[in-house]
Amino acid sequence: MRIPKLLVALAALAALAGCGTSEADSAGEGGGQVTVRIPDPGNAGVLALGKKDGSLAAALAKADAKVEWTGSAGPFAPAAQAMNADQLDIATGSITSGITSLAQTPGFKFFTATAPDPVGEGILAKKGSGIDGVEDLVGKKVAVNQGGTGEYLLLKALAEHDIPASEVERVYLRPDQTAAVFNTGKVDAWAVWAAYAVSELGTGKAEFIVDGKEIGSDNYSLTAVRTAFAEQHPKVVKALYDYLHENSAREKKDPARYLNVTTDAGPQALNGEAERIQTDFTARGGTVEPITSADIKRFEAVARFYAEQKVTKKPVDIASHVLDVERL
């Protein structure tokens, strides 16, 4: 499952740095238990439940490792910077945000892939706004996260409808700050994914005018590992993959169990219609899998599309930044 990003990178990086440990401290005295640093998963998902019930700790212990929850899950771009700076070992993001991070100087590799969300990502508009299809976006303002899922979804939708990107104004915003802008009408639509879309859909006041499946999205969700960590601790990476793979399948079969893991109240919780929508999205989504050669071809196509759309200066090399987790 994507994330501006660049405007908040330094702040997020500072927060991660305050909680992190150095490479020298990643194992106990005498080369004992390895510490793997992962962003806190919050209130939902496989890692959230694994943190609460102790199953993740048990799985990692078999590889002589333990987890340190560092900072909080969020945009991939600052997480990528944190991995580059040896302040984080694992992060999750979309292939789209991954491509823009790879265009920098990456110190990470991808080792899992989850198929694009067919119904949980798309372009939101207010009901009754007169924006009922992609063609209605011409001349309008659409909020997107720069270089990530939002910008990809918008550009992909416009390309699919032969609409020049210049005919729609992209408004670059952090996803966690976009809801207020969207709800006050300062933007006309919002290209977004489930983590932020569900709350809006749950109000009954907004709807997708087009979703990921209709767009033809190849916006895979990927898990990245710091390159040096993977080289030094391949068994830990494999243990983490096995845990994510097995439990993502369980989550797909029983989505409700993975929602409101630590609290069913407050801004982190989903209730009512929003909870029903998220449960449906998860049941129809993908599971964590190894990255195949066919996946890499899809990623390369996205990289070419980003270059064509001038999001990146040139196609980004993907294959050299993929780890074959099944060979670890």
Side-chain angles (χ1 to χ4, degrees):
M1 357 341 70
R2 329 29 264 67
I3 18 190
K5 287 179 172 167
L6 298 178
L7 295 179
V8 297
L10 294 178
L13 194 55
L16 289 165
C19 302
T21 58
S22 70
E23 178 67 27
D25 295 329
S26 65
E29 280 187 45
Q33 197 172 40
V34 175
T35 297
V36 54
R37 298 163 295 181
I38 304 175
D40 191 282
N43 196 35
V46 166
L47 291 180
L49 186 59
K51 177 185 178 182
K52 181 180 180 180
D53 66 14
S55 59
L56 177 62
L60 289 175
K62 293 178 181 178
D64 201 19
K66 63 180 180 179
V67 65
E68 177 183 320
W69 301 109
T70 304
S72 58
F76 183 74
Q81 290 192 5
M83 286 189 287
N84 292 345
D86 185 17
Q87 294 165 344
L88 189 66
D89 300 311
I90 300 292
T92 299
S94 65
I95 181 57
T96 48
S97 57
I99 286 169
T100 50
S101 294
L102 287 174
Q104 310 303 315
T105 307
F108 59 88
K109 291 190 176 183
F110 296 112
F111 68 101
T112 81
T114 303
D117 188 345
V119 291
E121 63 178 14
I123 300 176
L124 281 177
K126 288 292 184 181
K127 291 182 178 179
S129 66
I131 301 176
D132 301 309
V134 177
E135 296 86 351
D136 299 322
L137 295 175
V138 173
K140 300 295 195 297
K141 296 180 179 180
V142 182
V144 301
N145 60 308
Q146 188 172 16
T149 292
E151 188 161 28
Y152 171 76
L153 293 173
L154 175 60
L155 291 174
K156 185 72 170 165
L158 295 176
E160 289 291 312
H161 287 77
D162 297 319
I163 299 171
S166 59
E167 294 190 11
V168 176
E169 182 179 348
R170 278 169 271 177
V171 180
Y172 294 125
L173 293 169
R174 281 172 37 183
D176 61 347
Q177 295 182 338
T178 305
V181 178
F182 176 66
N183 285 303
T184 55
K186 294 179 181 178
V187 294
D188 303 293
W190 183 6
V192 66
W193 61 101
Y196 300 94
V198 167
S199 295
E200 300 302 320
L201 294 168
T203 67
K205 298 178 181 179
E207 61 186 352
F208 279 137
I209 62 168
V210 65
D211 63 26
K213 183 177 181 179
E214 295 168 308
I215 290 170
S217 171
D218 261 334
N219 187 39
Y220 279 69
S221 175
L222 309 180
T223 309
V225 59
R226 187 168 57 85
T227 303
F229 185 92
E231 291 171 348
Q232 294 162 12
H233 309 296
K235 291 182 180 179
V236 179
V237 179
K238 181 62 165 59
L240 182 58
Y241 164 75
D242 289 341
Y243 184 85
L244 294 172
H245 173 70
E246 292 168 9
N247 286 278
S248 66
R250 293 189 179 105
E251 182 185 28
K252 183 177 173 67
K253 291 179 180 178
D254 185 13
R257 184 168 178 250
Y258 294 81
L259 290 178
N260 299 332
V261 171
T262 58
T263 180
D264 58 6
Q268 281 194 321
L270 291 177
N271 294 289
E273 182 64 5
E275 184 176 5
R276 185 200 67 77
I277 291 170
Q278 182 61 71
T279 299
D280 177 59
F281 284 174
T282 303
R284 297 165 70 181
T287 55
V288 174
E289 303 293 339
I291 298 174
T292 68
S293 57
D295 294 332
I296 293 173
K297 289 181 179 179
R298 293 186 179 94
F299 302 163
E300 290 173 340
V302 175
R304 289 193 299 272
F305 177 75
Y306 256 23
E308 292 164 1
Q309 296 291 327
K310 310 300 182 185
V311 177
T312 57
K313 293 180 179 179
K314 60 182 180 180
V316 173
D317 174 32
I318 305 293
S320 63
H321 298 287
V322 168
L323 185 65
D324 187 347
V325 72
E326 293 184 303
R327 293 188 177 183
L328 295 181

